[in-house]
């Protein structure tokens, strides 16, 4: 099914004033009202939280909720320093890559005393698992990304003589097995003379249309390919880049860039995570593997017919990833009754459904999950390829108390690998070594 650009969604409200200093709890005003601060990095979600806060405040006289946004590039460094000093927001967003470090440092509180011993059962299990440690749930699961799928430009497919139905059962293989993905991507890649990448005269130095967005993108590219080849990104906190299955997946992904030239060069994508998305939105890329987090971008921006197809299947089948985001309670605010009241409200369907009703993300409260699909169905967009089926294989998202420190040492190596400056086998072995030295140090 193809979709036209039907309506605009996710309107961004004006940013609330940013509070970077002061104690963790807002304290009492002269009128004895209490302020609970909530911080996150996404303005679309912040607009939803302001609606949630208004509903909560209407039911809880004397409690004000202040929603703060800090850009992603600055979010984690500033937050860590404040929380470590016993300050910062009362409740804040975290992702999986940063979660474990806060738990290990005792800087966030388990939530059973706020939402009840058995309340975790109301959330999507995958998000509960992602934010649990030693049997304790930390944080209130808020949203999750659903699965990853193939956004496609139906106009470019038509020009290449490709029926969207051909995308339904794509296969790739790192072992010489059946591979229908690569020939399709070659057919959808064109140079400035209009020749596709199957043509012997194809000019790889003058590509004007790419078939695919192969690049260093952990969530949309690396994890699905690695998982569908039977590999892993990590085993616990240990990195597993050089295991045979994972190395072979990396080789396939890198070859799409450097050998077959069906994806943009790493010089364009290594330091610009938006390059491929923008190329797709501008009609210069036929297939864009991504998740629910780009639905609004595509729906609001494109002028062509588009749709979403399932992920290609590797030798181990089609494997997706569905990470979530949780709202964690600052340990310095854990005993404040106003903070507890708002945190508990965020764990209810009423306090979570607005994310789905606005089309921003899948709500993490299971009872509210249908709202997101209903929104996009009303918009004329079929998102079924992004809905993780109960029997679908899901690879674990990244995690670890030292993940960010390890990334600082393995990322330069991986960037060189994508640039073609290091052989894949050499790069993954070295990346494994230096990353695990950090983890084990």
């Amino acid at each position: 099914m193809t979709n036209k650009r039907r309506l605009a969604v996710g309107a961004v409200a004006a940013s609330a004033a940013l509070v970077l200093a002061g104690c963790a709890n807002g304290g009492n005003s002269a009128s004895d009202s209490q302020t609970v601060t909530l911080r996150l990095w996404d303005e679309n979600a912040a607009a939803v939280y302001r609606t949630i806060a208004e509903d909560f405040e209407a039911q809880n006289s004397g409690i004000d909720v202040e929603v703060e946004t800090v850009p992603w590039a600055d979010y984690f460094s500033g937050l860590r320093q404040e929380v470590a000093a016993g300050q910062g927001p009362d409740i804040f967003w975290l992702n999986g890559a940063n979660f474990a470090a806060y738990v290990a440092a005792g800087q966030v509180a388990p939530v059973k005393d706020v939402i009840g011993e058995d309340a975790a059962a109301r959330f999507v299990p995958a998000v509960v698992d992602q934010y649990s440690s030693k049997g304790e749930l930390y944080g209130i699961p808020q949203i999750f990304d659903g699965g990853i799928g193939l956004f496609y430009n139906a106009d470019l497919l038509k020009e290449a003589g490709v029926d969207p139905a051909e995308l339904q059962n794509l296969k790739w293989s790192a072992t010489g097995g059946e591979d229908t993905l690569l020939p399709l991507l070659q057919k959808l890649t064109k140079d400035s003379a209009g020749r596709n990448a199957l043509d012997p005269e194809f000019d790889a130095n003058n590509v004007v249309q790419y078939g695919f967005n192969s690049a260093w993108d952990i969530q949309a590219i690396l994890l699905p390919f690695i998982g569908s080849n039977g590999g892993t990104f990590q085993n616990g906190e240990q990195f597993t880049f050089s295991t045979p299955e994972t190395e072979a997946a990396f080789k396939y992904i890198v070859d799409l860039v450097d050998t077959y030239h069906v994806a943009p060069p790493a010089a364009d994508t290594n330091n610009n995570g938006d390059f491929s998305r923008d190329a797709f939105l501008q009609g210069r890329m036929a297939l864009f593997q991504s998740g629910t987090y780009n639905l609004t971008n595509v729906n609001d921006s494109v002028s062509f017919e588009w749709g979403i197809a399932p992920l290609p299947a590797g030798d181990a089948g089609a494997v997706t990833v569905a990470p979530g985001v949780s709202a964690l309670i600052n340990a310095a605010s854990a005993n404040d009754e106003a903070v507890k009241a708002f945190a508990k409200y965020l764990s209810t369907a009423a306090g979570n459904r607005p994310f789905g009703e606005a089309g921003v993300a899948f709500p993490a409260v299971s009872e509210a999950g249908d709202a997101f699909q209903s929104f996009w169905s009303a918009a004329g967009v079929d998102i079924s390829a992004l809905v993780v089926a109960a029997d679908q294989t899901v690879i674990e998202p990244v995690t670890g108390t030292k993940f960010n420190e390890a990334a600082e040492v393995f990322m330069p190596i991986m960037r060189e690998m994508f640039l073609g400056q290091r052989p894949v086998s050499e790069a993954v072995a070295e990346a494994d070594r230096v990353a695990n030295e950090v983890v084990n140090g």
Side-chain angles (χ1 to χ4, degrees):
M1 175 181 178
T2 57
N3 311 300
K4 280 187 176 289
R5 180 172 178 264
R6 300 292 179 90
L7 84 167
V9 299
V12 177
S15 175
L18 178 61
V19 178
L20 292 177
C23 61
N25 185 279
N28 297 336
S29 69
S31 60
D32 291 329
S33 66
Q34 292 179 281
T35 298
V36 177
T37 52
L38 168 67
R39 186 181 298 176
L40 64 156
W41 59 77
D42 182 85
E43 272 292 355
N44 287 335
V48 175
Y49 274 123
R50 292 183 185 108
T51 298
I52 293 170
E54 288 177 3
D55 294 339
F56 171 80
E57 290 168 351
Q59 302 171 44
N60 294 270
S61 178
I63 302 178
D64 298 323
V65 177
E66 181 176 301
V67 180
E68 310 170 349
T69 57
V70 177
W72 173 269
D74 304 316
Y75 187 86
F76 296 101
S77 58
L79 178 68
R80 188 67 187 272
Q81 293 173 4
E82 292 175 71
V83 174
Q87 301 179 335
D90 299 304
I91 302 171
F92 51 87
W93 263 22
L94 275 185
N95 61 356
N98 289 274
F99 161 72
Y102 282 81
V103 174
Q107 295 166 345
V108 291
V111 298
K112 64 182 179 183
D113 293 338
V114 176
I115 64 175
E117 289 279 357
D118 301 323
R122 73 178 59 142
F123 302 110
V124 174
V127 189
V128 172
D129 292 345
Q130 189 181 358
Y131 291 93
S132 294
S133 177
K134 298 180 180 178
E136 290 273 15
L137 174 63
Y138 289 80
I140 315 293
Q142 293 294 282
I143 59 175
F144 73 106
D145 284 337
I148 301 297
L150 274 182
F151 289 75
Y152 63 85
N153 182 325
D155 294 349
L156 295 184
L157 264 60
K158 185 176 180 180
E159 289 176 10
V162 176
D163 189 317
E166 296 179 40
L167 306 181
Q168 294 301 309
N169 295 291
L170 287 173
K171 297 184 182 299
W172 71 276
S173 177
T175 61
E178 182 182 6
D179 193 328
T180 57
L181 176 63
L182 177 57
L184 176 67
L185 299 183
Q186 291 173 301
K187 193 173 184 179
L188 293 170
T189 301
K190 293 183 179 180
D191 66 17
S192 57
R195 296 172 295 228
N196 68 32
L198 290 168
D199 190 317
E201 301 299 318
F202 173 71
D203 185 356
N205 294 316
N206 289 289
V207 179
V208 296
Q209 175 184 308
Y210 289 100
F212 190 58
N213 59 312
S214 186
W216 181 273
D217 181 332
I218 293 177
Q219 183 169 338
I221 301 295
L222 303 187
L223 291 179
F225 272 93
I226 289 169
S228 64
N229 200 48
T232 57
F233 194 90
Q234 291 171 285
N235 180 9
E237 295 200 13
Q238 298 294 306
F239 292 89
T240 54
F241 302 142
S242 60
T243 58
E245 296 83 2
T246 301
E247 179 181 330
F250 272 121
K251 180 69 164 59
Y252 188 95
I253 296 166
V254 170
D255 281 350
L256 293 180
V257 178
D258 296 327
T259 300
Y260 299 105
H261 308 287
V262 296
D268 292 327
T269 62
N270 267 352
N271 297 305
N272 182 359
D274 295 334
F275 183 91
S276 293
R277 181 204 65 191
D278 293 344
F280 179 76
L281 297 179
Q282 294 160 10
R284 297 186 292 110
M285 180 177 287
L287 302 181
F288 176 55
Q289 189 163 297
S290 191
T292 53
Y293 48 90
N294 266 314
L295 274 169
T296 298
N297 291 324
V298 174
N299 191 67
D300 287 359
S301 303
V302 302
S303 58
F304 49 79
E305 294 270 357
W306 64 284
I308 311 169
L311 280 173
D315 291 342
V319 176
T320 191
V321 61
V325 171
S326 280
L328 280 84
I329 302 172
N330 191 327
S333 302
N335 296 318
D336 186 273
E337 294 305 316
V339 173
K340 288 183 178 180
F342 184 56
K344 185 172 184 177
Y345 187 70
L346 294 180
S347 74
T348 66
N352 194 235
R353 182 173 285 112
F355 286 105
E357 293 172 337
V360 169
F362 275 106
V365 175
S366 299
E367 183 184 342
D370 59 343
F372 186 71
Q373 296 183 62
S374 296
F375 175 92
W376 286 104
S377 177
V381 178
D382 180 2
I383 66 167
S384 58
L386 299 176
V387 179
V388 180
D391 60 349
Q392 188 169 5
T393 304
V394 178
I395 187 172
E396 292 295 320
V398 299
T399 189
T401 55
K402 296 182 179 180
F403 181 87
N404 291 319
E405 293 94 327
E408 289 181 5
V409 297
F410 74 65
M411 277 300 299
I413 299 168
M414 293 305 203
R415 288 194 178 101
E416 290 177 357
M417 178 181 73
F418 270 84
L419 288 166
Q421 296 173 352
R422 282 195 187 219
V424 172
S425 58
E426 172 191 308
V428 295
E430 179 67 4
D432 253 357
R433 184 186 68 78
V434 298
N436 288 324
E437 282 181 355
V438 171
V439 171
N440 299 325

